[in-house]
């Protein structure tokens, strides 16, 4: 078993009603599996920000693992002690 820290920012923090969660995962879990378990564990509002009605990732959030932005499609392996930050895209103008 391993544990990662999930931190929420902006819109997802409001939906979660908290700023972070500790997520217990099996060893050798990828980002895809991590987000799926987070969606299953979380309230429906967080799950709706992550996945569509078919269970496909929406790819609308910014994902940062240990300070480096990652793409969902790259599906990096998560490790014990990792920190996953989930935030809404920053728009400016």
């Amino acid at each position: 078993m391993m544990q990662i820290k999930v931190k929420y920012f902006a819109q997802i923090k409001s939906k979660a009603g908290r700023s972070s969660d500790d997520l217990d995962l099996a060893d050798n879990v990828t980002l895809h599996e991590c987000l799926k378990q987070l969606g299953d564990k979380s309230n429906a509002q967080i799950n709706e920000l992550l996945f569509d009605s078919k269970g496909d990732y929406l790819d609308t959030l910014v994902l940062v693992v240990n300070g480096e932005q990652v793409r969902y499609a790259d599906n990096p392996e998560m490790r014990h002690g990792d920190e996953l930050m989930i935030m809404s895209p920053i728009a400016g103008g």
Side-chain angles (χ1 to χ4, degrees), residues 16 20 26 29 35 46 52 55 59 67 92:
S20 67
V29 170
L35 290 173
I46 291 178
D52 66 16
D59 206 16

Side-chain angles (χ1 to χ4, degrees), residues 32-52:
H32 291 188
E33 294 161 325
C34 175
L35 290 173
K36 175 72 174 118
Q37 288 185 36
L38 179 64
D40 290 345
K41 173 186 172 203
S42 300
N43 64 40
Q45 291 177 313
I46 291 178
N47 198 46
E48 289 171 2
L49 288 174
L50 295 170
F51 301 101
D52 66 16

Side-chain angles (χ1 to χ4, degrees), residues 16-77:
R18 58 194 172 280
S19 60
S20 67
D21 275 315
D22 292 321
L23 193 59
D24 294 318
L25 303 166
D27 291 332
N28 303 316
V29 170
T30 65
L31 177 64
H32 291 188
E33 294 161 325
C34 175
L35 290 173
K36 175 72 174 118
Q37 288 185 36
L38 179 64
D40 290 345
K41 173 186 172 203
S42 300
N43 64 40
Q45 291 177 313
I46 291 178
N47 198 46
E48 289 171 2
L49 288 174
L50 295 170
F51 301 101
D52 66 16
S53 61
K54 296 177 186 174
D56 294 327
Y57 181 69
L58 291 171
D59 206 16
T60 57
L61 300 170
V62 175
L63 304 172
V64 178
V65 176
N66 299 326
E68 292 189 33
Q69 187 171 344
V70 297
R71 293 178 343 117
Y72 181 80
D74 292 341
N75 199 25
E77 185 174 312

Side-chain angles (χ1 to χ4, degrees), residues 5-22:
K5 170 77 80 183
V6 182
K7 291 187 174 182
Y8 307 116
F9 295 89
Q11 170 185 1
I12 197 157
K13 181 178 176 180
S14 297
K15 299 277 187 188
R18 58 194 172 280
S19 60
S20 67
D21 275 315
D22 292 321

